[in-house]
Amino acid sequence: MTARDYSLAELAEQLQLECVGDSSLRIVGLATLASAATGQLSFLANPRYQKELANTAASAVIVSPAMLPHCPVAALVSDNPYLSYAQATQLFKKQSEAVAGIADTAVVAASADIASSASIGANCVIGERVRIGEQVVIGPGSVIGDDVVIGPQGLLHANVTLYHGVSIGHSVILHSGVVIGADGFGFAPTQQGWQKIEQLGAVVIGDHVEIGANSCIDRGALNPTIIGNHVIIDNLVQCAHNVQIGDGTAIAGCTAIAGSTRIGSRCTIAGGVGIVGHISLADNVHITAHTLVTKSISQPGSYSSGTPMLETQQWRKAAARFAQLDAWIKKLSRFIKANN
Amino acid sequence: MTARDYSLAELAEQLQLECVGDSSLRIVGLATLASAATGQLSFLANPRYQKELANTAASAVIVSPAMLPHCPVAALVSDNPYLSYAQATQLFKKQSEAVAGIADTAVVAASADIASSASIGANCVIGERVRIGEQVVIGPGSVIGDDVVIGPQGLLHANVTLYHGVSIGHSVILHSGVVIGADGFGFAPTQQGWQKIEQLGAVVIGDHVEIGANSCIDRGALNPTIIGNHVIIDNLVQCAHNVQIGDGTAIAGCTAIAGSTRIGSRCTIAGGVGIVGHISLADNVHITAHTLVTKSISQPGSYSSGTPMLETQQWRKAAARFAQLDAWIKKLSRFIKANN
Amino acid sequence: MTARDYSLAELAEQLQLECVGDSSLRIVGLATLASAATGQLSFLANPRYQKELANTAASAVIVSPAMLPHCPVAALVSDNPYLSYAQATQLFKKQSEAVAGIADTAVVAASADIASSASIGANCVIGERVRIGEQVVIGPGSVIGDDVVIGPQGLLHANVTLYHGVSIGHSVILHSGVVIGADGFGFAPTQQGWQKIEQLGAVVIGDHVEIGANSCIDRGALNPTIIGNHVIIDNLVQCAHNVQIGDGTAIAGCTAIAGSTRIGSRCTIAGGVGIVGHISLADNVHITAHTLVTKSISQPGSYSSGTPMLETQQWRKAAARFAQLDAWIKKLSRFIKANN
């Protein structure tokens, strides 16, 4: 667990930004404008926080050229302060340094091929013929099924589960509780009950993917489930069998995507969304929170369903009227016709 | 990890289907019509894929008698091609062969009674007085609380957690991250905060049940929570304390059922559904995706709530009108009365 | 695994209730009025169950003074029978007695400071500089990251994961599969893809908190995510980075709260609710099930969104009309204007 400090000049160099003010200042961490203290670097990315700039106790602030005149302390000048802040977080992250090697308590199959720079945590279980790339870190308690491939620089936090045959690209982050490759929900009805359809497909995860805690990506029925490159998925998200997600798409928490649906590239799916099975979404589609997507979307744009939040008393009346809506509109239609 | 191959004649015999064409063909796997290659068996269950039949590269296809004349390759003829495909998946599944016995790294209470043909994976923890039936397989990292009973042929994948006193029937599949028997959400309000109500009931799971990754079935407050036979539950589903689910019901991902609600038999609950507490649903009820079920349903049939997906711009206007709906309909009603 | 029995007199003393009837009766457990047998104590809290009082086979019942005349068996008289029942469940809970000490198979960093009365289960992994208070119980397979602090009397069930730097108050219960301190969902868009924003904040959990199975509380971006005292959270709930939840608030299953949102004290959030980011909810707000909260709420009260459940056929008509709502109301408005 280490976090180092930097001079402002060093930060300017690392972030490739212009430094205005005392470049010898020591910076020990990052903070918001309102909560920053001496020795901390802050940033102003959203104009609504401009009023906090004047009073900040930060030692330095990442600002746009336009905001520079308003900055009362030292500054790092960026055309994109939010991105510069994102890059600065890399410099200040505190994380346990994983030690290369395999923990004594890990259980590793003899046929597994683990790069010497990889770190396999306590109580991990690694199956037959697994291949783990350079600098991969696998947290304690994770279970990696047979024939899994994990590309270089991957980070699996504690208690992740990968079923057999899952393939993970490079620089992928999987948070705790993630389950990849569980059986898709496939059954054929019979008189005696549900006949399980064994899920024979794999899961293929691209490069630079991050998947949040307790999210699930099911294996395909026959063909694989596919998550593209640079896809980011939040916590408690469900991707069913044979879903395909295009490059750069972002999916917020508690969203569920049903089987065989294809999501385009650079889509942004808000939280709590449901997307039914066997449909396609174009590239650059945005879905607002809690929407149910019931059909394919062929055009980029923003899509929604639901009703606005109201006080429950008012909502009850509107909801009751919703149930009568067809009857009222028919009545209106007849009345207009009769009186025109 | 093994998957064997079969002659078409062997498959016909195993699946009890008529073989038309070269019965000596070697079949090494299953694939969809569009992606199949030589040596693979495919199937045509949904008429919308009929056009793919003519061009398939599969060596053989499971078809209905009506489709047989259109099949350009060898065929297995089935009155229910989808069910025959489901049965065929059993023959081609690749799964690690679990070895009977208890892994060295498993921690097993002395009073546990584990069948000799059962397989207990690495780093499992098995509590006092647990009884585990013949041919049960428990994946690595799973934790089985005191007094749990697991019937024969059960398959618990890695990192499953069963709290004390949970009872599981035979031939049950639990996917990774499943938690069964956690405390129901029961508290009594007091001036000082919430007084926890200890959850003293059990969970009873029937036979031939499958529960998807990261789903939760809470223990009962006093009486048990009960999941019937042949119930299938997808990923990230929540069943609260004292829920009862009838035989053969299917529940899709991210659905939540609140406390003490009873679901009938052979219901199909789509994904993202919410069902409030203390109500009953009849047998053969279907609930569409993202519906909130707010009252008991006494008749079989299909039920829904929500609004259709629209472009966000159009949706905003409709949503704003929803809030005014009661006022507008009252205005309409008065106007019609005044002008009739 | 023990559960003792009590004389009715002992129970009256422990629960500080008046005993009416044979105080020497032996009580071995708790049950509902309808399912109770001889030797069991029941309770009548909800008037709708009054009819079950007359026929109960319970040996004794906790009743209000008003119900006492209708009680056919011995009674414990309480002004708040539900609370008395909640307290009685504490006396009858069956739970494995955790043995103080560290299991042989646990992996504990040398720098961890673990109270001698704490119990660390099999296969737990405890990181550097972790501090664990008196009488804490940590279930098997749990992973505790570096620099975590867990206050006295905490109960972590099996397979819980705490990331580095998480702080937990006293008397906190975390159920299996809970993940606290995973990275918040923070990324800056770039031409090349998403630039990860390292999440440098912590998570601070108050006292007397309970969090249900497979729920997630993300770490803050810079400032901490904060869960107040006496907060109760059900299963599969998502709290994003920098969420703040006030004291005594209750959150039901499958609810998701987006980043930086502040929830007041003593709120009750039903199941399947979504709350967007960067808003505030006042104290004593109630949100009904499946509501999407899209803006701040400054007044106590109950809030809702959604539409009522209908038969799907009727719902389809109403839903189609919803899409046309703005056009119809404009037409109505014009018609009224033209004809007035």
Side-chain angles (χ1 to χ4, degrees), chain C residues 216-267:
Chain C
C216 301
I217 318 281
D218 279 350
R219 67 191 315 110
L222 293 169
N223 296 322
T225 303
I226 299 174
I227 310 295
N229 299 320
H230 293 283
V231 170
I232 52 175
I233 295 179
D234 198 358
N235 298 350
L236 292 164
V237 168
Q238 154 72 350
C239 289
H241 49 181
N242 298 103
V243 162
Q244 295 183 34
I245 300 183
D247 293 352
T249 283
I251 302 175
C254 298
T255 279
I257 305 173
S260 300
T261 279
R262 286 185 299 175
I263 311 281
S265 296
R266 295 174 308 282
C267 293

Side-chain angles (χ1 to χ4, degrees), chain A residues 105 107 123-125 129 141-143 146-147 159-161 163-165 177-179 182-190 192-198 200 214-216 218 221-223 236-239 254-256 272-274 276 278 286-288 290-297 302-308 310 314-315 317-319 321-322 324-325 328 331-332 335 339, chain B residues 1 30-32 35 43 48-49 80 82-83 85-97 105 122-123 140-141 157-159 173-177 210 213-214 230-236 248-254 267-268 271-272 289-290 305-313 315-316 318-320 322-327 329-330 332-333 335-337 339-340:
Chain A
T105 53
V107 177
N123 293 335
C124 283
V125 181
R129 295 169 302 279
S142 289
V143 177
D146 294 344
D147 298 290
N159 286 329
V160 166
T161 308
Y163 280 52
H164 68 276
V178 161
V179 178
D183 288 342
F185 196 58
F187 299 86
T190 77
Q192 290 74 44
W194 299 100
Q195 165 69 52
K196 180 173 177 64
I197 300 172
E198 294 294 334
L200 307 176
N214 285 345
S215 286
C216 302
D218 279 349
L222 294 169
N223 296 322
L236 291 164
V237 167
Q238 154 71 353
C239 290
C254 298
T255 280
V273 165
V276 303
H278 296 275
H286 175 64
I287 309 291
T288 62
H290 263 221
T291 292
L292 176 66
V293 181
T294 48
K295 56 186 180 194
S296 289
I297 297 176
S302 178
Y303 298 83
S304 303
S305 73
T307 79
L310 301 169
Q314 185 191 358
W315 171 79
K317 289 179 190 167
R321 295 306 191 181
F322 178 85
Q324 315 156 343
L325 203 50
W328 275 109
K331 186 179 277 197
L332 168 61
F335 188 75
N339 290 276
Chain B
M1 206 73 150
L30 286 166
T32 60
S35 67
F43 67 102
R48 64 193 260 209
Y49 293 111
N80 187 341
Y82 193 61
L83 179 56
Y85 152 62
Q87 292 163 337
T89 63
Q90 308 294 327
L91 304 175
F92 288 102
K93 75 174 157 181
K94 287 182 206 160
Q95 221 152 277
S96 315
E97 310 92 89
T105 54
N123 293 335
H157 288 273
N159 287 329
I173 299 175
L174 304 180
H175 284 282
S176 294
E210 182 161 344
N214 286 345
H230 293 283
V231 170
I232 53 175
I233 295 178
D234 198 358
N235 297 350
L236 292 164
T249 283
I251 302 175
C254 298
C267 292
T268 49
H290 263 221
S305 73
T307 79
M309 185 190 73
L310 301 169
E311 287 189 52
T312 300
Q313 209 171 5
W315 171 80
R316 278 219 186 86
F322 179 85
Q324 314 157 342
L325 204 50
D326 188 55
I329 289 183
K330 280 184 179 145
L332 169 61
S333 180
F335 188 76
I336 291 178
K337 202 170 289 175
N339 289 275
N340 251 352

